[in-house]
Structure formats: C-alpha cells, structure tokens
Amino acid sequence: MAASAPAETGGGGEPRCRLYLVTPPALEPAAFAEQLARALDAGDVAAVQLRLKDVEESALKRAIDVLRPVAQSRDVAFLLNDRADLAVQHGCDGAHLGQTDGDHAKARKLLGPERMLGITCHASRHLAMEAGEVGADYVAFGAFFPTATKVAEHRAEPEILEWWAEMFELPSVAIGGITAENCAPLVRAGADFLAVVGAVWNHPEGPAAGVRALNDAIAAA
Ligand SMILES: Cc1ncc(COP(=O)(O)OP(=O)(O)O)c(N)n1
Ligand SMILES: Cc1ncsc1CCOP(=O)(O)O
Ligand SMILES: [Mg+2]
C-alpha cells in the first residue's frame, strides 16, 4: 500500500508494520474529510478503508467522492469496504471483502492488477490460503481483542500472524480492538498492517493523537 515514508523503519529501511485506518461506522462526508485530513497529516498511515454499512448507494458514492481525494492526494491508498464494483467505478485503490461479500475470484478480475483486493480470513489458516490462491493482496485476521465497533464472531491469536509471516510473503492485516496499549504482540508476531477504528476516531485527545500514539507504539514494539 502506498504512502509517505514513516518515521520508524525495520532493519532494512522498510517499515515493519504500518497503520491502516478504517472509517467510523457513521459519518458526514464533508465534516469527516477535515478530521481525516488531520489524522493523515499527523503521522504514517498506509491506507484508509471507507466502511459504511447500511447506507444508501447514493450516500456511499458521495462519501467516496469526498473522501477519496483526501487520502489519495497524500499518497495514502483508499479502499472501499464490501463493494469491488463501486471501488472500480469511483477510482478507489482497492476493495476489502469479507467471506460473505460475493465471489472473490470475480472481484479479483473486476479490480484488475492495479487495484488491491483485501480479504477477511477471521482466524482461519484455510481461509487465508484460499485468499492467497484467489489473488488477494492481503489477508486480514481478527478480531484480536474485544471491539465495540462490530459484533465480531471470531477471535484470533497472534500465533496466526506469526505462522502466516513464516509461510507466506503476502502481507497480513490485524484487526479488532487494537490500541496503542495492546498492539505490541501483534507487531512482534509479524503483522504488516494494523487496522483500527476506535483507537483513532475515539481517541480522547482526537484522531491525530490516536495516529501518533499508534505510530509510536508500533515503533516501540
Ligand atoms: C482490514 C479489514 N479486515 C476485516 C474487515 C471485516 O470485513 P467483513 O468480515 O466483511 O465485515 P464488515 O467490515 O463488512 O462488517 C474489514 N472491513 N477490514
Ligand atoms: C471491521 C472489523 N472487523 C473485525 S473487527 C472490526 C472492527 C474494528 O474496529 P476497532 O478497531 O474499533 O475494534
Ligand atoms: Mg464486509
């Protein structure tokens, strides 16, 4: 996922783990665009996922059109949750699909080689290997911790990140209840990206402070 150079890197000059922001469950695009800009300007963020469930398609399209340039103008990848078709039609850098979000192979074709496909794999090695076979650009595991953002039916342990990193080159994303305080074991286990909602958007000192806290925690892990 493209983005500006992070402050801290692993031994080889490559960042060993980066932040992946997922939007809050409800937002007003114009007001949120300002919050998003402040968050992205606060530190290193590799990607933003627009995740709006249960909104009219017209509202979703408007949110894409308002928020996509905020991310892309900062060289941050902009992905759309659940909808590969709209991701293509509206110039997103990719789509994130769950296990019940349609045919992954069809989505891969639709997205083409230039756009990213991320796939939810819960806590399943089998689903992750299937995602790899279908051509996913990353596999997402979770939830690692209790989360107030989504009713998460699966619980993952850091060992799955370790196993994945040992076996495969394909990047992994960790998600679910991740905060600056609890993220270290996931970073050490080899997660390539930490996807967060609450830890940034509900940070008591605001989203910019949330990004800085996570950047610092990743660097210190
Ligand atoms: C990075 C990332 N990982 C997992 C999810 C969850 O996707 P899904 O299982 O389809 O659930 P919804 O987010 O659609 O409710 C995600 N969105 N992003
Ligand atoms: C979308 C999603 N998928 C699994 S947990 C989750 C929510 C993550 O949000 P938070 O970082 O607030 O726990
Ligand atoms: Mg989904």
Side-chain angles (χ1 to χ4, degrees), residues 144-196:
F144 284 91
F145 303 103
T147 170
T149 303
K150 177 182 165 75
V151 179
E153 285 162 14
H154 302 266
R155 191 66 182 266
E157 298 297 331
E159 286 67 33
I160 199 161
L161 297 167
E162 215 159 52
W163 169 78
W164 183 259
E166 274 168 20
M167 298 290 289
F168 303 100
E169 293 286 324
L170 200 64
S172 66
V173 174
I175 192 167
I178 299 171
T179 65
E181 289 70 32
N182 67 19
C183 72
L186 308 180
V187 178
R188 290 199 289 263
D192 294 287
F193 299 93
L194 301 184
V196 302

Side-chain angles (χ1 to χ4, degrees), residues 9-218:
T9 62
E14 283 297 306
R16 62 179 177 141
C17 180
R18 300 187 66 196
L19 207 49
Y20 178 166
L21 298 189
V22 179
T23 61
L27 55 85
E28 196 291 303
F32 182 70
E34 290 180 23
Q35 269 197 298
L36 179 61
R38 280 199 291 276
L40 298 184
D41 290 340
D44 176 56
V45 176
V48 170
Q49 179 192 126
L50 178 61
R51 178 177 180 271
L52 291 178
K53 313 289 286 187
D54 305 321
V55 296
E56 296 283 332
E57 189 161 308
S58 58
L60 185 55
K61 287 177 177 174
R62 178 163 175 269
I64 298 169
D65 292 343
V66 172
L67 300 176
R68 181 179 57 80
V70 177
Q72 290 179 339
S73 66
R74 289 165 170 81
D75 204 18
V76 174
F78 188 82
L79 286 85
L80 182 63
N81 190 38
D82 289 345
R83 297 286 301 269
D85 57 340
L86 285 188
V88 172
Q89 286 163 25
H90 284 256
C92 300
D93 297 300
H96 181 94
L97 299 183
Q99 290 298 322
T100 56
D101 295 326
D103 184 320
H104 295 161
K106 269 194 192 149
R108 176 71 280 172
K109 260 197 189 146
L110 195 62
L111 289 161
E114 302 300 327
R115 292 186 174 83
M116 283 177 277
L117 171 62
I119 297 183
T120 298
C121 301
H122 304 305
S124 166
R125 298 175 183 208
H126 175 72
L127 290 179
M129 289 187 283
E130 276 188 352
E133 279 164 21
V134 89
D137 294 287
Y138 68 77
V139 295
F141 296 112
F144 284 91
F145 303 103
T147 170
T149 303
K150 177 182 165 75
V151 179
E153 285 162 14
H154 302 266
R155 191 66 182 266
E157 298 297 331
E159 286 67 33
I160 199 161
L161 297 167
E162 215 159 52
W163 169 78
W164 183 259
E166 274 168 20
M167 298 290 289
F168 303 100
E169 293 286 324
L170 200 64
S172 66
V173 174
I175 192 167
I178 299 171
T179 65
E181 289 70 32
N182 67 19
C183 72
L186 308 180
V187 178
R188 290 199 289 263
D192 294 287
F193 299 93
L194 301 184
V196 302
V197 181
V200 164
W201 307 115
N202 302 332
H203 191 281
E205 289 158 36
V211 167
R212 285 193 292 268
L214 278 153
N215 280 173
D216 290 349
I218 290 170

